[in-house]
Amino acid sequence: MARGESTIPLKMLLFCFHGANTIIVSFLPLYLQFKGLSGTEIGWVMAIGPFVAIFSQPFWGYMSDKYQTVQKILILCLIGLIISSAFFLQMGTLPLLLTFGATFFFFAAPIGALGDSLSQRRADQLGISFGTIRTWGSIGFAASSLAVGEILSRAGIQFMVWPYLLLAGAAFIVSTRLVDVKVETPPIQFKDIGSLIKTKPYLIFLFIIVFITISHRANDSFIGIYIASLGGSEDMIGFAWFAGVASEAIVFATAGLWFRKFHPLIFIIGAGLLYSIRWYFYATFDDPMLIVALQFLHGLTFGVFYLTAFEYVTRLIPKMLQSTGHLVFASTFFGLSGIIGSLVGGVIMDNLGGSYLYLFMGILTTVGSMMMLVYHWLPFGKS
């Protein structure tokens, strides 16, 4: 395969970036707890990333569409991420964590969505499944969660900055070898974003998925603390993430076999209902090994939900606004939902405990799934 057709650099970027992101998602809450922060304070730090993402993801998506390049925006964001993370991951007080965290997440937030946007375009260009490229992000996440969990259980959570910098540096190196996808439409202007805002099915869809994605983001922030509160260790937390993301990788890798069997919304509704069942089970468990045992459901919930939702919004948004539309979707999924999930989750964890948090998440996801079912019955929901 010629370099212009090769997807290896893109797969390696996803592997390295999501491997680095494992450390933030899986172990940052434990690092903050080690530094003496309360559940509510941890919620504030975990919420600063999603808050910044609401602004940074559409901004970088717009810049990508305007200058018709994903690669150069990715390189710029990775440089900012590496520099800011060296400071952020060594802070120990809430004001400094919030300040440096805002800078870090401004650059970190759009990278995953830009990588996925480029993967979707490359997949369409080469006539292959998006999931066969995206699965490498899941493999990187899974491998890193297992390896870094073992390293930090031996060395100590306070050293998490070093494996992060190693993986982020590798992501930067491979980003210089990426192949951009040529866009045939003219560069967008700021006024063109109005056509995205006027796409009502897109806006309604984003509103509904918040009811499901809040629970996903709350779990991202607090599953490590929940497992620890039940008596689990760092390596058990790492294995829980490994089991979950390994199942996600299988879902992405086999997407070509199941992906187009039904309308995307059917998969989204099914994944939402399975999310509910998963959270209800977690709410009743008092053994951390049972949490780990059911982590295979992560692939059937997040894996199916994200892949099909990403494909569905691609149908809804104009071609010239692909990066912008994808990053607005991501800022809703990981940004707005992350703020609510982290802040409300932190308060519930402090005052009621983890079992009540997961019960609340289950109820919220059930409501979202029912709303999505109604959306699918509407005429524009069948597009």
Side-chain angles (χ1 to χ4, degrees), residues 116-302:
D116 288 350
S117 183
L118 184 58
S119 299
Q120 179 74 65
R121 297 185 194 193
R122 291 286 286 151
D124 290 344
Q125 184 185 59
L126 298 175
I128 60 177
S129 167
F130 164 63
T132 60
I133 301 177
R134 180 57 178 78
T135 190
W136 284 92
S138 302
I139 293 170
F141 198 112
S144 177
S145 64
L146 199 61
V148 174
E150 180 65 25
I151 291 168
L152 295 182
S153 68
R154 294 174 182 273
I157 196 73
Q158 66 270 29
F159 295 108
M160 63 177 285
V161 63
W162 299 112
Y164 185 85
L165 288 174
L166 178 66
L167 287 166
F172 168 73
I173 292 171
V174 296
S175 71
T176 62
R177 304 295 298 166
L178 290 177
V179 177
D180 254 334
V181 175
K182 292 182 179 179
V183 181
E184 302 302 327
T185 57
I188 67 166
Q189 304 299 319
F190 190 75
K191 60 182 173 61
D192 294 326
I193 297 178
S195 63
L196 193 64
I197 298 172
K198 293 175 184 176
T199 309
K200 288 184 180 179
Y202 175 70
L203 296 180
I204 296 171
F205 178 78
L206 293 183
F207 171 76
I208 295 174
I209 67 168
V210 166
F211 286 82
I212 300 173
T213 55
I214 283 173
S215 70
H216 175 83
R217 297 295 286 141
N219 179 67
D220 282 351
S221 295
F222 295 105
I223 187 173
I225 292 175
Y226 187 46
I227 290 175
S229 72
L230 296 176
S233 60
E234 283 91 346
D235 56 344
M236 185 180 291
I237 294 166
F239 189 78
W241 278 105
F242 171 80
V245 184
S247 68
E248 174 192 312
I250 294 171
V251 167
F252 283 145
T254 59
L257 302 177
W258 59 265
F259 186 62
R260 302 194 186 277
K261 297 291 185 183
F262 302 101
H263 191 282
L265 289 177
I266 298 296
F267 287 112
I268 292 168
I269 294 165
L273 292 173
L274 199 55
Y275 259 128
S276 299
I277 295 170
R278 181 184 173 193
W279 304 145
Y280 290 139
F281 274 127
Y282 282 20
T284 62
F285 291 159
D286 57 8
D287 183 345
M289 284 304 299
L290 294 177
I291 303 285
V292 176
L294 275 190
Q295 275 292 92
F296 76 91
L297 289 175
H298 177 82
L300 297 176
T301 50
F302 172 74

Side-chain angles (χ1 to χ4, degrees), residues 328-373:
V328 170
F329 163 71
S331 68
T332 303
F333 195 128
F334 299 104
L336 179 62
S337 299
I339 294 171
I340 299 171
S342 295
L343 293 181
V344 176
V347 172
I348 295 176
M349 281 289 289
D350 271 350
N351 294 283
L352 298 174
S355 61
Y356 281 93
L357 172 60
Y358 279 94
L359 177 62
F360 169 74
M361 289 158 54
I363 294 170
L364 198 64
T365 313
T366 302
V367 172
S369 300
M370 294 300 100
M371 292 173 67
M372 190 62 72
L373 184 61

Side-chain angles (χ1 to χ4, degrees), residues 17 49 52-53 56-57 81 104-114 327 330:
F17 172 73
V52 171
S56 72
Q57 286 181 323
L81 174 146
F104 167 76
F105 285 113
F106 178 78
F107 293 105
I111 295 175
L114 282 171
L327 268 80

